[in-house]
Amino acid sequence: MERMLSNIKTKKGFVSLYYEEQVIACGLGVIEREYIGLYDIVTDINYRNRGFAEQMILNLLKWGKENGAKYSYLAVVSNNEPALRLYSKIGYSEIYKYWYRVKDSFQY
């Protein structure tokens, strides 16, 4: 993971949200051109639905704006209802769908 993240050449910001000296949420923002992409937004299951993730994301977006981002985007799995509700509350909406495909067996 460290090697992968170190290969990101554009500006990146990492957020860890602490509650009672414990990390309960984290996320990554990557700025490219005038966009900040939000990645790996995760909240500890025991701390969900308390507004922590919303505050973390808003702070990450604030950091992005302070560093030149005018627009933002993210991707979310279509059946992740809690995340979809959160992102909708913040103002995100679906603009397209995509899916991964796997091949049953790989042959040369």
Side-chain angles (χ1 to χ4, degrees):
M1 179 61 83
E2 185 177 333
R3 186 173 44 178
M4 181 182 78
L5 293 174
S6 68
N7 285 326
I8 299 172
K9 301 303 180 199
T10 60
K11 194 172 285 192
K12 53 192 171 280
F14 304 91
V15 173
S16 296
L17 181 62
Y18 287 80
Y19 181 76
E20 297 180 350
E21 299 183 25
Q22 177 182 339
V23 175
I24 61 164
C26 59
L28 164 65
V30 178
I31 298 175
E32 188 171 8
R33 298 185 188 106
E34 295 182 324
Y35 289 85
I36 180 171
L38 304 182
Y39 300 94
D40 297 323
I41 305 299
V42 180
T43 303
D44 183 305
I45 195 165
N46 298 311
Y47 294 90
R48 293 180 183 166
N49 298 311
R50 298 189 195 180
F52 292 121
E54 180 179 357
Q55 289 307 307
M56 183 188 64
I57 291 168
L58 293 175
N59 279 286
L60 195 53
L61 292 172
K62 181 179 180 230
W63 172 83
K65 186 175 182 179
E66 291 168 352
N67 285 276
K70 294 181 181 177
Y71 312 99
S72 67
Y73 64 90
L74 55 82
V76 62
V77 178
S78 63
N79 66 352
N80 187 341
E81 290 298 326
L84 292 168
R85 280 192 303 275
L86 170 63
Y87 299 144
S88 176
K89 179 180 177 184
I90 295 172
Y92 287 92
S93 60
E94 182 180 294
I95 58 169
Y96 68 91
K97 293 182 180 189
Y98 70 96
W99 62 93
Y100 293 101
R101 296 183 180 110
V102 294
K103 190 173 181 178
D104 289 335
S105 63
F106 183 76
Q107 296 178 355
Y108 291 96

